[in-house]
Amino acid sequence: MTMGAELSHIVEEEQTTATDRSLRNKTCVVTGASRGIGRAIALHLGREGADVVVNYRSSETPASDVVEEIEARDGDAVTAQADVGNKSDVSALADRVHEEFGSIDVLVNNAGVTIDKRFDQMTWEDWNRVIEVNLGGAFHCTKAFYEDIKDADHGRLINISSVIGQRGNYGQSNYAASKSALFGFTRSLALELAPDGSTANCVAPGYTRTDMVESVREDIQDRIREQIPLDRFASPQEIASTVQYLASDDASYITGEVINVNGGMYG
């Protein structure tokens, strides 16, 4: 390679590094981002150049670790504590985000909880807490940032549901109901946001290799894998890359969709 060609290659490489970040100058809020799928999403968006708000409820140290990892790659991120099922918490979260970054561009409603019991043993409190966080949290956060998303040049609302919302699951009637409801919520808001050029989509992960899944007995994991045509669990990064695509300008003509990332599982 001649000196001129080598110099041209270096310049081209630097330009690619500077511009090949699909979310540069975008602000993204990720709820439940201290661990698991939420952590992977926050890190992936940070790598793509976004300013990231890492929401957590009680896991402050893991959330701070996510921020440090994003900043180590020259990104910008902050932690923001809030129980998304609590309207006052979410209002304070929105105030903090607006003070730090101004209006946001992308909201990822990922936070969720499980309280698994057979229905005949489930209390109202068990039912309500799961609905309050998984569905109520999506309402509170979307309400808090709705005008931002609507007014953004390319606003993105991305709700994280689950294959359980499509198939149901023994002992998870509360969780399945909360995740299934996100489909209708997403499709309705897609229609309302469309006139402003913003989109709303839903990602429905299958069984994903998180701490929760890995804590399940090995024989039960084997039985779950038998239901998955690809015969393995997803990695959190595979879910995160789907979210990153939906958040990018490349997905500007996709709205109102439920994107299944489940290894081929169907109801």
Side-chain angles (χ1 to χ4, degrees):
M1 181 183 290
T2 66
M3 183 175 292
E6 184 176 0
L7 182 59
S8 175
H9 175 73
I10 292 171
V11 170
E12 182 179 340
E13 190 175 67
E14 288 179 348
Q15 288 175 337
T16 300
T17 301
T19 61
D20 195 28
R21 289 189 170 188
S22 64
L23 297 173
R24 184 174 291 280
N25 299 322
K26 306 284 189 185
T27 297
C28 304
V29 174
V30 184
T31 67
S34 64
R35 58 182 72 245
I37 290 173
R39 176 182 185 277
I41 292 170
L43 291 173
H44 207 93
L45 298 181
R47 280 196 295 271
E48 291 298 315
D51 298 331
V52 183
V53 178
V54 179
N55 162 253
Y56 69 96
R57 182 177 65 86
S58 58
S59 301
E60 181 176 7
T61 298
S64 297
D65 291 342
V66 174
V67 168
E68 288 180 11
E69 191 165 339
I70 292 171
E71 291 177 339
R73 297 173 179 266
D74 297 323
D76 195 2
V78 297
T79 60
Q81 191 280 331
D83 177 347
V84 299
N86 183 301
K87 180 181 177 182
S88 297
D89 274 17
V90 174
S91 179
L93 165 67
D95 289 344
R96 165 117 195 258
V97 170
H98 289 143
E99 182 178 340
E100 185 80 24
F101 292 116
S103 296
I104 75 163
D105 302 278
V106 179
L107 171 63
V108 182
N109 284 315
N110 168 76
V113 297
T114 58
I115 302 175
D116 297 345
K117 293 180 182 178
R118 277 186 1 217
F119 186 74
D120 61 0
Q121 297 177 351
M122 187 177 293
T123 66
W124 168 252
E125 289 74 22
D126 299 331
W127 171 273
N128 194 52
R129 177 57 180 165
V130 172
I131 298 296
E132 178 182 66
V133 174
N134 298 4
L135 183 58
F139 173 85
H140 292 318
C141 292
T142 304
K143 194 74 171 175
F145 294 108
Y146 186 78
E147 293 301 319
D148 291 5
I149 295 166
K150 185 167 74 74
D151 294 341
D153 289 339
H154 301 283
R156 300 285 186 264
L157 171 63
I158 303 169
N159 294 314
I160 307 301
S161 181
S162 170
V163 68
I164 301 304
Q166 297 166 313
R167 293 168 57 95
N169 201 34
Y170 186 93
Q172 288 195 305
S173 59
N174 50 3
Y175 184 77
S178 70
K179 291 300 186 179
S180 179
L182 288 175
F183 302 149
F185 179 66
T186 300
R187 288 170 174 145
S188 297
L189 290 187
L191 296 174
E192 295 182 22
L193 287 167
D196 297 288
S198 295
T199 66
N201 289 290
C202 191
V203 176
Y207 291 96
T208 304
R209 191 161 289 287
T210 61
D211 292 342
M212 183 185 300
V213 168
E214 295 199 340
S215 69
V216 173
R217 286 198 335 249
E218 190 62 39
D219 61 315
I220 297 176
Q221 290 189 40
D222 291 341
R223 291 207 298 270
I224 294 171
R225 272 193 294 268
E226 289 173 359
Q227 303 174 48
I228 305 172
L230 285 179
D231 194 32
R232 66 177 178 84
F233 299 132
S235 72
Q237 290 73 26
E238 288 173 307
I239 312 304
S241 63
T242 304
V243 172
Q244 179 268 317
Y245 172 70
L246 290 173
S248 74
D249 290 348
D250 291 337
S252 62
Y253 204 58
I254 300 174
T255 196
E257 295 299 322
V258 176
I259 310 297
N260 297 314
V261 190
N262 60 26
M265 295 181 74
Y266 292 96

